[in-house]
Amino acid sequence: DFMEIQALQKQVDLWIQEHGVRYFNELTNMAILTEEVGEVARIIARRYGEQSEKESDKTKDLGEELADVLFVIQLGGSKSISNRLLILNALFENKITLKNLSDAEDTDLLKQALETDNEVVDIHHAGTAMRFLTSYLSLLKKEKILTGSERMKQRPIGILVDALRSMGISIDYLENQGFPPLKIHPSSFKTNKVQMQADTSSQYLTSLMLIGAKLPEGLELELIGTITSLPYLEMTLTMLNELGIEAKREGNLITILPKKECNSQNFTIESDWSSASYLYSLAALSENCRIEVSYLFEKSLQGDRRVADIYRENFGVETDFRKEKIVLTKIPNFTYPKKIELNLNDCPDVAQTIAVTAAALRIPTLLTGLHTLKIKETDRITALHNELKKCGVETLPTQDSLELISFTSPSSRPSIDTYNDHRMAMAFTPLALFYPIEIKNEQ
C-alpha cells in the first residue's frame, strides 16, 4: 500500500545518501553510457550528490523523473520507412547507416532477400517485400523467381508487372495470371516513362519510385485519376530528397532524376505509428493511464501519425509531444461522440485498431476509404466483420468501408482468428481490458 511504498522509498533514499552517491557521480563522468543509465545517473547525482540543483529541479518529484527515463516503451522503427531504406541502401551499395531499423518480420524477410544470391527468393507473407522486390530485381539483369506463401499467391501483382513490362522488362507468371510467383528475366529498361492508375496501392507506385534514380534517364511516373494514399507517396519523395536524390511531384506527375552514387550518411528511423496505435487503443480503453513511447515525432513522414488526432478527437486520448518521445494520457471528463465517421484513405493500416476501440466503447462508427484492405495480408474488411461478430458487434462491410451498427455483450469468451495477419492479433488484444478473450495463432 501507500505507506509501504513510502517506507521503501525512504530506504532507497538512505542507501543512496550513504553509499550510492559517489557511484552516480562517477557514472555521470563516464565517457560511454546508455542514454537511460546516463540520465538516471544525472538525476540521482543532482538530487543527492555534489552537482548543483536548480531551483526548478527541487520541486520535481523524484519518482516521476525516474519513471520518465526508465519506463518508456521502445517501439521498433517504422516498417514503411525501414523497407524503403533497405531497398535504397541496396541500390547505393550500402552507403546508409540505419539506426532503429524495424524489427518486423516483413523487414527481416526483405533484408534476407536483398542479401541472398539464390535464384529463388521466397518472401513468405511479406506483401511489401513482394512489391518492392519486383521492381528491384528487374534492375539486376539476372534470372530470378519471386514467390511467397499461399496467401501471397492470392494477392494481385499484375498492375506493377504491366507497368514494368511497358518499360521493357520481361516477366512471366509461373502459376496464375496477375499473381505471384513471378519469373523475372534478364532485361533492360527501354523507357523511363510509365503511366499507372492513381488509385492503385501506393506500394506499386513506391516500388517504381525507389528504383527511379537508378534508371539511365530517371523516372517519369504519370498518375491517372485521383491520387489515394498520398502520404505514402510523399514519404517516399521526402526520403529520396533527404538522401540527395532529386524527386518531385507536380500534380499527377512524379519525376525522379538519375543518380549514380549516394554519399555515406546516417539515418535514424522514426518508430512505427501504426504499432503505436495499439497503445492508443489501450489508453482509450483504460480508466486512467500514462504511456510513454520513444522516437515518435509530431512532424512525421508517416500517414499513420494521424492516429494521434483521431484518438484525441474521438476517444479522449491526449498526446504530449516531447523530445524524441510522446506521452499518452486520458482527457478528464471526455464526452464521446454519438457517432464516428472517418475516411482512412491516407492511413488504412490503423483501421482495425480504430474499429476495435470503437466497438469496445460501443460507439457507432463508419470507416471509409478502405479499398486497399481487401488485398492486405488478409481481406481485412471481411476479417473484421467476422471477428467483431464474435464480440457481439453487428457490422456492415462493403468493398471499401465498414460500419459498426449495434453492440451486445459476447455470450462466451471470444476466440479471435488472426488470418496470419499481425494487425488482427494486435488490434483485438486491448479488448482484454474489458473481458477475457483468446487470440489464436498469436505468434
Side-chain angles (χ1 to χ4, degrees):
D1 61 15
F2 181 70
M3 296 299 291
E4 290 176 342
I5 292 172
Q6 277 193 321
L8 287 171
Q9 178 68 61
K10 188 173 182 180
Q11 291 178 39
V12 171
D13 288 351
L14 287 172
W15 184 91
I16 292 173
Q17 291 177 50
E18 292 177 11
H19 307 288
V21 170
R22 68 183 181 88
Y23 296 114
F24 286 110
N25 280 329
E26 289 172 6
L27 278 172
T28 62
N29 295 322
M30 287 174 60
I32 301 175
L33 284 172
T34 67
E35 183 179 349
E36 292 83 4
V37 170
E39 188 59 29
V40 167
R42 283 185 283 276
I43 291 170
I44 297 296
R46 189 183 70 231
R47 179 60 56 93
Y48 297 108
E50 298 169 0
Q51 295 188 14
S52 61
E53 186 174 36
K54 299 176 183 177
E55 284 300 318
S56 60
D57 291 329
K58 292 179 181 179
T59 60
K60 294 180 180 177
D61 181 87
L62 178 63
E64 286 190 7
E65 277 202 274
L66 293 177
D68 280 347
V69 177
L70 295 174
F71 305 119
V72 180
I73 296 173
Q74 306 285 337
L75 287 181
S78 160
K79 186 173 71 171
S80 296
I81 297 174
S82 295
N83 290 345
R84 284 162 171 77
L85 283 170
L86 284 177
I87 293 289
L88 291 167
N89 211 15
L91 288 171
F92 289 100
E93 301 176 344
N94 296 309
K95 293 287 185 69
I96 311 165
T97 301
L98 304 178
K99 179 183 177 182
N100 199 37
L101 189 70
S102 169
D103 55 4
E105 183 183 23
D106 284 15
T107 299
D108 189 50
L109 288 168
L110 177 57
K111 189 171 183 288
Q112 293 176 36
L114 291 168
E115 293 171 351
T116 186
D117 290 327
N118 296 340
E119 180 181 347
V120 178
V121 179
D122 187 347
I123 49 76
H124 304 282
H125 297 300
T128 305
M130 169 62 71
R131 288 158 176 166
F132 287 4
L133 286 169
T134 299
S135 296
Y136 173 81
L137 295 177
S138 298
L139 277 174
L140 300 188
K141 297 184 179 180
K142 297 179 181 179
E143 190 163 280
K144 292 282 188 178
I145 293 174
L146 184 56
T147 189
S149 64
E150 287 305 309
R151 170 57 185 165
M152 187 57 59
K153 294 178 181 180
Q154 299 169 8
R155 299 178 67 178
I157 195 75
I159 292 172
L160 180 56
V161 170
D162 289 346
L164 289 165
R165 283 175 170 175
S166 75
M167 299 177 79
I169 301 301
S170 176
I171 303 177
D172 291 329
Y173 297 109
L174 296 183
E175 293 181 13
N176 297 316
Q177 289 294 307
F179 297 88
L182 306 175
K183 189 169 188 177
I184 303 172
H185 301 281
S187 46
S188 299
F189 284 85
K190 307 298 184 186
T191 179
N192 72 328
K193 295 179 173 63
V194 63
Q195 291 183 336
M196 295 184 75
Q197 290 298 315
D199 62 354
T200 191
S201 168
S202 64
Q203 290 185 10
Y204 294 143
L205 309 175
T206 293
S207 178
L208 287 174
M209 292 166 65
L210 291 174
I211 68 166
K214 278 295 183 176
L215 301 183
E217 298 180 3
L219 176 70
E220 289 187 16
L221 172 57
E222 184 181 359
L223 306 178
I224 308 301
T226 302
I227 300 175
T228 59
S229 299
L230 183 58
Y232 292 103
L233 300 185
E234 295 293 349
M235 173 196 292
T236 305
L237 288 170
T238 301
M239 291 173 62
L240 291 173
N241 290 331
E242 288 183 2
L243 296 176
I245 298 167
E246 292 188 48
K248 62 181 179 179
R249 179 180 68 87
E250 295 178 319
N252 279 31
L253 180 64
I254 293 172
T255 305
I256 299 171
L257 300 185
K259 188 175 181 66
K260 291 184 179 180
E261 296 182 355
C262 179
N263 296 330
S264 297
Q265 55 193 287
N266 300 321
F267 200 111
T268 299
I269 300 166
E270 182 185 20
S271 290
D272 190 72
W273 272 101
S274 58
S275 295
S277 73
Y278 311 121
L279 301 174
Y280 275 88
S281 185
L282 283 170
L285 302 187
S286 65
E287 291 185 8
N288 197 11
C289 74
R290 177 188 172 88
I291 302 174
E292 301 188 16
V293 193
S294 65
Y295 289 117
L296 288 171
F297 310 119
E298 189 166 11
K299 294 182 179 179
S300 172
L301 292 175
Q302 303 172 62
D304 293 336
R305 148 70 176 85
R306 188 180 162 204
V307 75
D309 302 323
I310 289 172
Y311 271 77
R312 186 187 192 286
E313 295 165 6
N314 298 284
F315 303 120
V317 178
E318 186 67 83
T319 304
D320 182 11
F321 289 92
R322 301 188 181 181
K323 183 181 179 182
E324 295 192 336
K325 71 178 179 181
I326 61 172
V327 180
L328 306 184
T329 54
K330 298 290 290 268
I331 298 175
N333 304 314
F334 181 77
T335 302
Y336 294 102
K338 293 182 179 180
K339 183 175 182 178
I340 296 171
E341 294 189 12
L342 294 169
N343 185 328
L344 301 180
N345 183 55
D346 58 355
C347 54
D349 283 345
V350 299
Q352 289 146 293
T353 315
I354 293 168
V356 173
T357 304
L361 295 172
R362 299 192 172 191
I363 304 174
T365 300
L366 174 62
L367 304 178
T368 59
L370 308 182
H371 59 282
T372 60
L373 295 194
K374 303 288 287 186
I375 58 171
K376 295 286 187 177
E377 282 80 346
T378 184
D379 177 347
R380 288 176 173 169
I381 294 177
T382 300
L384 276 171
H385 168 73
N386 293 341
E387 304 315 305
L388 286 172
K389 185 176 182 180
K390 297 176 183 178
C391 302
V393 182
E394 180 187 351
T395 66
L396 177 62
T398 71
Q399 289 296 309
D400 62 356
S401 70
L402 182 73
E403 185 170 8
L404 280 58
I405 299 172
S406 64
F407 312 89
T408 58
S409 298
S411 56
S412 60
R413 182 175 69 175
S415 184
I416 305 300
D417 286 296
T418 51
Y419 307 82
N420 288 317
D421 183 353
H422 67 290
R423 296 200 190 282
M424 288 298 295
M426 297 297 291
F428 277 83
T429 298
L431 285 179
L433 292 175
F434 276 36
Y435 46 75
I437 62 169
E438 177 189 1
I439 303 293
K440 293 183 179 179
N441 301 314
E442 74 279 0
Q443 296 300 323

